[in-house]
Amino acid sequence: MISLVSKILATSYARLAICAGLVFGAFAAPAAAATSADTLSIWVMDNGLGSKNAMKRLVKKFYRETGIPVKLTSLSWGEAFRKITFTFADSNDVAPDVIQLGSTWVPHFAAAGTIRPIDNMISIIDTARFLGEGLRSSHIAGRPETYAVPWFIDVRGFFVNERIWRELGLDDSDFESYAHVLGVLKTIASSDLTTEVGVKVTPFTLPGKDDWAGQQCMAPFVWSHGGDFVVPAGKGYRSALLDSNTLVGLALYANIMGDAQMAPHSLFENSSDNAEGFVRSERVIHYGTSELIKQLEYPEEAGGLANSAIAKDGIKVLELPAGPHGKFSFMGGSHLALGNKKDTSKYALAEQLLAYMLRADNIDAFSRQVGFLPADRSILHIWNRDSRYSKLVAELEHSRSFPNIPEWGEVEKILINLSNNMGALFKNTKHRKKRSAALAQMVYEANAKINEILNYPDSLNGSERMHWAQHIFLQDYREIYPKSSANIIGRSELPSADEFKSWLVSSKYLLASLGAGFLVVCVIVACFRRRKK
């Protein structure tokens, strides 16, 4: 009897629910139509594993909180710059209301009028939460307007295969300077380590072919030696490629890239290839980005690295090596901005979406899915408790971003070509002096192209600067070997011909002094004998 009553009541409630739904649906239809007209659009890039699902969740949550629907579009990084440029120029009405931009892109699109200032939102967003270096990219250099807000940080660090590092008896202190780095790389090169499938393990690699991130890899070498790519000059900027400190950093970078022992695969690989070699445990050290750590949590079927060789061996993050002018790493990342559209009717709604995306809880949720560090300092201290990320968080104190000038995109293309051309040069030219001469010419031409982009009149003597650049590229660098190197290289091993030649060159002044002293002694002895006679 009770069961029958329950069924009757359930049926009655169901009918009431259907009727109520029809009634409320009738009233809600106009509202739904109005909401549809207010649909916002947001364009973001494919930011790695988990990013698309994370964005879908954020957009659904925004709809639940506000009732405002959002159309989500995901772009590849390869197509994004071009598509953003042409969409705002040709089809402004379908351009996004909110848009993700690479940090170095912000000044370019701000100067082009693609994005609009957000100074009226500074207090709402509370930009004081964000890292100063990240906020610098949200402006055009020399102008007060704010055009974007940092979303997440892409900071590069030196990752090491933990198992191999431990087996070689290496210590963190063995990596404290670039002289130490050279010693570590040559020590690893002298080992006879192979992977489980018999591939020889190599020390390191740099991107030298068909790459897009060479400028990011060159940056720590250049900055830590006191150089830079461009510097302020008068009311604008000029190329700094031929400044002595820059040349010293570039020469060290080139020295590693072109060395068949330290980085044997550099001349044939790009950044993705570099990372894949590290993931296969074929490289001991890798200069990469933080999302690599997050990928270890995803299974292979999802495109992750949970079943990879590096997942078994473990990843250790090393502290940045120091140069004569300190320790530095490249910091990039992505910002969020508002599209500058002809139809301004949805501006207020777009600002609401931007503020929502930059809320601390939403930044944290997205960052945890993709593995990039959050740009919000209030969240970073939580990430700092995770030992996998703590050294990367600490690195932010020593990280720099590229200049926030509209011309940087064009400058960056020159630097990317320079890095790739280095790889091609070293692949085809083995003779050291010919390499140095060609490299000096290459840097000289890149310097001239950058000054042309920056509209800087360079009147300095070209031949003198070429000669000076070639001289720097021929210099040898000091090497400090780790304590464990004696067990790997062997105490009784004689230096190679190149090392012996290097020793002779570095000792030439000492030998000359000894020779001169010997001659003086001979003269004195001869004079003394003549007097005695």
Side-chain angles (χ1 to χ4, degrees), residues 14 90 139 155 158 190 192 201 203 226 255 317 374 408 420 471 487-488:
D90 300 334
H139 302 265
V155 60
F158 285 94
S190 299
D192 56 359
V201 173
N255 185 37
V317 182
W408 180 253
N420 288 328
H471 171 72
N487 301 322
I488 299 165

Side-chain angles (χ1 to χ4, degrees), residues 81-109:
F81 193 96
R82 180 190 57 79
K83 187 163 185 178
I84 293 166
T85 300
F86 286 111
T87 300
F88 276 94
D90 300 334
S91 308
N92 189 275
D93 54 328
V94 298
D97 300 295
V98 178
I99 185 170
Q100 174 189 351
L101 296 174
S103 57
T104 58
W105 297 4
V106 174
H108 169 83
F109 284 112

Side-chain angles (χ1 to χ4, degrees), residues 164-165 167-171 174 179-193 200-203 259 261-262 284-285 479-490 493 499:
I164 297 176
W165 187 260
E167 285 182 8
L168 292 172
L170 296 169
D171 187 75
D174 294 327
H180 285 86
V181 170
L182 293 176
V184 165
L185 296 182
K186 291 199 171 182
T187 298
I188 296 169
S190 299
S191 71
D192 56 359
L193 291 173
K200 179 172 171 52
V201 173
T202 56
D259 192 283
Q261 288 183 307
M262 293 189 288
V284 182
I285 301 168
E479 299 162 359
I480 300 177
Y481 284 83
K483 293 177 181 178
S484 64
S485 64
N487 301 322
I488 299 165
I489 298 175
E493 278 192 24
E499 289 173 327

Side-chain angles (χ1 to χ4, degrees), residues 25-318:
F27 284 109
T35 303
S36 178
D38 290 333
T39 297
L40 295 172
S41 62
I42 181 170
W43 284 11
V44 296
M45 276 51 122
D46 182 354
N47 296 299
L49 290 174
S51 65
K52 290 182 180 179
N53 287 334
M55 277 303 303
K56 287 176 182 177
R57 284 193 290 270
L58 284 174
V59 164
K60 286 180 180 178
K61 181 182 171 186
F62 179 74
Y63 178 69
R64 288 197 303 270
E65 290 185 11
T66 65
I68 303 170
V70 178
K71 182 182 178 182
L72 172 64
T73 300
S74 180
L75 307 175
S76 70
W77 278 101
E79 69 170 332
F81 193 96
R82 180 190 57 79
K83 187 163 185 178
I84 293 166
T85 300
F86 286 111
T87 300
F88 276 94
D90 300 334
S91 308
N92 189 275
D93 54 328
V94 298
D97 300 295
V98 178
I99 185 170
Q100 174 189 351
L101 296 174
S103 57
T104 58
W105 297 4
V106 174
H108 169 83
F109 284 112
T114 302
I115 54 178
R116 57 191 173 98
I118 57 169
D119 298 276
N120 63 313
M121 298 187 67
I122 298 298
S123 59
I124 299 170
I125 295 171
D126 184 18
T127 55
R129 294 181 290 137
F130 300 95
L131 291 169
E133 190 65 20
L135 284 171
R136 187 166 73 91
S137 302
S138 64
H139 302 265
I140 298 175
R143 300 186 194 176
E145 298 89 358
T146 301
Y147 287 91
V149 180
W151 188 22
F152 61 78
I153 298 168
D154 176 10
V155 60
R156 283 184 172 266
F158 285 94
F159 298 97
V160 68
N161 183 302
E162 191 170 14
R163 176 187 61 81
I164 297 176
W165 187 260
R166 189 171 57 248
E167 285 182 8
L168 292 172
L170 296 169
D171 187 75
D172 286 12
S173 61
D174 294 327
F175 208 75
E176 66 182 28
S177 72
Y178 280 98
H180 285 86
V181 170
L182 293 176
V184 165
L185 296 182
K186 291 199 171 182
T187 298
I188 296 169
S190 299
S191 71
D192 56 359
L193 291 173
T194 59
T195 64
E196 291 181 355
V197 295
V199 176
K200 179 172 171 52
V201 173
T202 56
F204 186 54
T205 190
L206 288 167
K209 182 181 179 183
D210 301 331
D211 192 62
W212 53 91
Q215 75 286 6
Q216 298 178 12
C217 296
M218 287 190 283
F221 294 88
V222 170
W223 290 336
S224 62
H225 286 83
D228 211 337
F229 298 114
V230 301
V231 292
K235 294 182 179 180
Y237 283 76
R238 68 166 177 83
S239 171
L241 286 186
L242 289 175
D243 292 6
S244 58
N245 288 343
T246 303
L247 287 170
V248 172
L250 284 175
L252 176 58
Y253 179 84
N255 185 37
I256 295 174
M257 177 190 273
D259 192 283
Q261 288 183 307
M262 293 189 288
H265 300 286
S266 296
L267 313 184
F268 310 94
E269 293 187 356
N270 60 32
S271 294
S272 293
D273 299 325
N274 293 172
E276 288 172 9
F278 179 70
V279 166
R280 294 191 300 268
S281 293
E282 295 172 7
R283 319 283 158 74
V284 182
I285 301 168
H286 175 61
Y287 183 60
T289 52
S290 59
E291 86 278 10
L292 182 62
I293 297 172
K294 188 66 182 179
Q295 290 176 2
L296 297 176
E297 299 177 9
Y298 291 95
E300 187 177 358
E301 54 269 21
L305 304 174
N307 308 111
S308 65
I310 193 62
K312 297 173 186 175
D313 291 346
I315 290 179
K316 180 183 176 70
V317 182
L318 298 170

